[in-house]
Amino acid sequence: MSSDIILYELAAADDTRFSPFCWRTRWGLRHKGLAFKSVQIGFPDIGELGGSRRTVPAIRIGGTFVEDSWDIAEFLDERFPDRPPLFGCPLGKGTARFVECFTDKVMHPAMLRLVSRDVFELMNSHDQAYFRKTREEMLGCTLEQAPIGREQQVLAFRKAIHPIRLTLNRQPWLGGNAPGHADYIVLAAFQWARLASPFKVLEDGDPIAQWFRRGLDLHEGFGQKVHPEHGGPGFAGTGVWKPEMLLRAWGG
Ligand SMILES: N[C@@H](CCC(=O)N[C@@H](CS)C(=O)NCC(=O)O)C(=O)O
């Protein structure tokens, strides 16, 4: 079963998997001990996967196609109840939802400003034009203007995420004593910055940086394995999405 899982995700020109939302699912799959096949899809082509959301990550397991990292995490807990839980209990899931909203609406926009120019540089030319257009609309400025003054902007960012620091001063993981989906959501945001940019969003001594390093070490250092061949034990190979895979994406 596990080697039948396909994860559709973005990739840089050198094949590095850098997408923050896709890393939520990458870590979620490894947390469950599930190997997967990583299939690259370009930004402009995501709609052709046929899903309703037009975003990645999306996974296919057997005949089932699931999009959205949150829905995928829920699906994995439901489909594989005997494996380590990503949410744990309804209250844990509710709290993780807050972490998701905080990350999507506070962390990601601030980080996009800090690293978007660098993200652009690592993309292949097929993705670059789409990324420039959509992200400049989001930013309200050009990719070149976005990082101007980032040495100052990062100070405000580090302050805005102080609640995460306070939490990690009291417990080892955002999920409590063990990592769960809430951890992967935030780890994935820092993974995006780490892989896409040389800019230091965290200071080395920051408790958040220490937690991030522990996160990279989870599941046999899975966070260090950033290329498609690292789908896990039993991994089925790599690929680039092609239109003829559409039927298969829907279980045909
Ligand atoms: N809520 C979605 C958001 C996913 C998302 O926005 N993914 C980005 C890639 S990192 C995407 O697919 N963007 C499509 C686009 O910009 O057109 C999730 O959690 O999976």
Side-chain angles (χ1 to χ4, degrees):
M1 157 64 81
S2 58
S3 61
D4 293 339
I5 299 175
I6 293 180
L7 168 63
Y8 299 97
E9 56 181 345
L10 299 167
D14 74 352
D15 245 7
T16 297
R17 276 29 183 168
F18 65 90
S19 154
F21 291 103
C22 297
W23 269 97
R24 295 179 188 184
T25 296
R26 298 188 127 243
W27 261 309
L29 288 163
R30 294 304 299 128
H31 182 93
K32 289 284 190 190
L34 297 168
F36 58 90
K37 174 176 174 174
S38 168
V39 171
Q40 183 222 331
I41 182 149
F43 257 115
D45 312 317
I46 294 172
E48 294 170 35
L49 275 179
S52 57
R53 303 196 192 218
R54 308 177 85 84
T55 59
V56 285
I59 62 167
R60 182 176 70 84
I61 303 186
T64 308
F65 183 74
V66 190
E67 327 164 74
D68 191 281
S69 58
W70 181 275
D71 290 355
I72 293 170
E74 278 188 328
F75 171 84
L76 293 177
D77 267 359
E78 279 161 27
R79 176 68 80 96
F80 302 100
D82 299 336
R83 296 181 179 232
L86 285 161
F87 291 114
C89 68
L91 288 177
K93 187 184 283 191
T95 311
R97 189 60 108 173
F98 168 76
V99 174
E100 184 196 51
C101 293
F102 177 79
T103 306
D104 290 357
K105 301 300 177 200
V106 176
M107 292 183 63
H108 277 198
M111 293 173 88
L112 183 68
R113 189 160 287 279
L114 298 174
V115 304
S116 56
R117 175 72 187 132
D118 302 323
V119 175
F120 176 80
E121 286 300 328
L122 63 83
M123 283 177 178
N124 58 50
S125 54
H126 183 63
D127 283 346
Q128 275 180 330
Y130 181 90
F131 184 82
R132 177 180 286 285
K133 182 174 182 311
T134 54
R135 272 45 184 182
E136 288 187 345
E137 278 168 16
M138 279 179 199
L139 288 160
C141 66
T142 66
L143 293 178
E144 286 66 31
Q145 288 164 336
I148 293 173
R150 65 180 173 179
E151 288 74 15
Q152 285 305 311
Q153 287 167 13
V154 76
L155 302 179
F157 171 72
R158 289 175 189 156
K159 205 167 168 182
I161 59 173
H162 195 53
I164 297 176
R165 199 169 289 117
L166 290 177
T167 306
L168 295 170
N169 281 339
R170 288 165 175 77
Q171 59 193 48
W173 300 99
L174 298 178
N177 288 330
H181 190 59
D183 288 273
Y184 299 129
I185 290 169
V186 183
L187 286 171
F190 289 111
Q191 179 76 319
W192 173 44
R194 179 178 89 90
L195 296 175
S197 173
F199 185 69
K200 241 175 148 63
V201 296
L202 293 170
E203 290 178 302
D204 289 339
D206 190 326
I208 302 176
Q210 291 162 3
W211 159 85
F212 180 58
R213 281 192 289 275
R214 290 202 307 280
L216 293 180
D217 288 343
L218 286 169
H219 317 306
E220 298 163 340
F222 182 66
Q224 307 286 356
K225 299 170 182 171
V226 300
H227 289 105
E229 64 271 26
H230 296 117
F235 176 65
T238 76
V240 174
W241 187 84
K242 297 184 182 63
E244 57 268 28
M245 294 168 77
L246 187 60
L247 269 180
R248 279 196 279 140
W250 287 95

